Amino acid sequence: MDYVDINSISELHDFFRYEKPLHPLVTVVDLAKVDRSQRKPDAVYRLDLYSIACKRIEGSFMYGRTNYDFSEGTMMFTAPHQTLSPGMENKVSGWGIYIHPDFLNAAGKGRELTEYSFFGYDTNEGLHISETERLVLEDCVKNIQKEISLNVDKHSYNIILTNLELLLSYCERFYERQFFTRTKVSNDVVANFERLLKDYFAQETLVQSGIPDVNYFAGKLNMSANYLSDLLKKYTGKSSQEYIHLKLVDKAKSLLWSTDESISGIAYDLGFEHPSHFTKLFKNKTGMSPKSYRNLN
């Protein structure tokens, strides 16, 4: 498999066969004007840039081993080092903002923008926006494009960053709307997650399998860990990690009251490498040590 690494804005423009970039670290691209004719059909593209894109795609878009249809249009976000494999047949319209990490890492305010969890979502977890929402976002994009087109001065960085912050804040709001308007999908995810969680902790011991993490359940549900955590948090008030810890403590309570096994033995059975970590988690969730809890019986 061929890998194509794109590490800078200028390399991105060369790859797109696009006009010369106006700013070394930030660019706004009209995706309809990108030349895709020379792409290798089996290549995987690794982008060392942050991207925010509003796309309408005719045809399919490959992520991993799955094809996704985005003909209705969607917002997609990627962080550096993510890989994408767009098909040769795709006809794409819309816009894309591409940002070099150095631009965001230059200030604390910029680094905060990299913490938006949707930069870690899978492609199939894109944000589907209404026409009204699209126009709101495009106002921010136009402001960024306008500032990039001007001569760089001491105000340029803050103005671009402020508009990026506004754009991402709107995207966060629209994602929350999407979580809550897809009630059935959200209910199904919560129910399936809780079933998987129950089945996992039904094992007699977790010595071999260990304590599960968010990635384990996200993989079983065919979604990213970030998306699963955000959906659960917004829909139930608990993150996936909180769910795991609560189920872990419930199983510990059962073992403490129904067996004579030592607290260290219970910790190992639950998948903890160090009993002290088990004691710390149990006390954090219940307000008492495992020993004190056992003595209540």
Side-chain angles (χ1 to χ4, degrees), residues 106-225:
K109 183 179 177 180
R111 290 190 293 273
E112 289 176 4
L113 299 187
T114 68
E115 296 174 3
Y116 278 100
S117 56
F118 42 73
F119 279 115
Y121 287 1
D122 286 346
T123 302
N124 61 308
E125 297 159 351
L127 170 62
H128 303 285
I129 54 176
S130 67
E131 181 66 14
T132 300
E133 291 169 342
R134 182 183 65 81
L135 293 174
V136 168
L137 297 179
E138 286 187 354
D139 281 342
C140 300
V141 177
K142 289 175 182 176
N143 288 337
I144 294 169
Q145 178 68 71
K146 185 186 300 182
E147 193 60 33
I148 290 172
S149 302
L150 299 174
N151 291 327
V152 176
D153 60 28
K154 65 179 182 179
H155 301 289
S156 301
Y157 181 83
N158 283 332
I159 293 174
I160 294 172
L161 200 59
T162 296
N163 280 281
L164 281 173
E165 181 181 30
L166 182 60
L167 174 67
L168 293 173
S169 294
Y170 275 125
C171 289
E172 184 176 43
R173 169 190 279 182
F174 299 156
Y175 253 123
E176 289 186 2
R177 181 268 307 157
Q178 181 166 290
F179 281 127
F180 287 117
T181 55
R182 295 184 173 187
T183 304
K184 185 181 184 306
V185 173
S186 298
N187 275 329
D188 288 346
V189 170
V190 173
N192 289 333
F193 173 74
E194 290 180 340
R195 175 182 54 77
L196 288 169
L197 197 59
K198 181 179 178 181
D199 290 347
Y200 193 95
F201 282 100
Q203 301 175 71
E204 289 187 10
T205 175
L206 304 180
V207 171
Q208 296 300 321
S209 54
I211 300 171
D213 61 11
V214 178
N215 290 317
Y216 170 83
F217 294 107
K220 292 287 185 181
L221 294 168
N222 296 314
M223 59 180 57
S224 69

Side-chain angles (χ1 to χ4, degrees), residues 262-277:
S262 69
I263 291 172
S264 294
I266 290 174
Y268 292 128
D269 285 344
L270 292 174
F272 287 90
E273 293 184 10
H274 305 288
S276 60
H277 294 169

Side-chain angles (χ1 to χ4, degrees), residues 25-38:
L25 299 177
V26 184
T27 189
V28 178
V29 172
D30 181 346
L31 298 175
K33 296 180 180 179
V34 170
D35 183 351
R36 296 174 175 80
S37 62
Q38 301 302 313

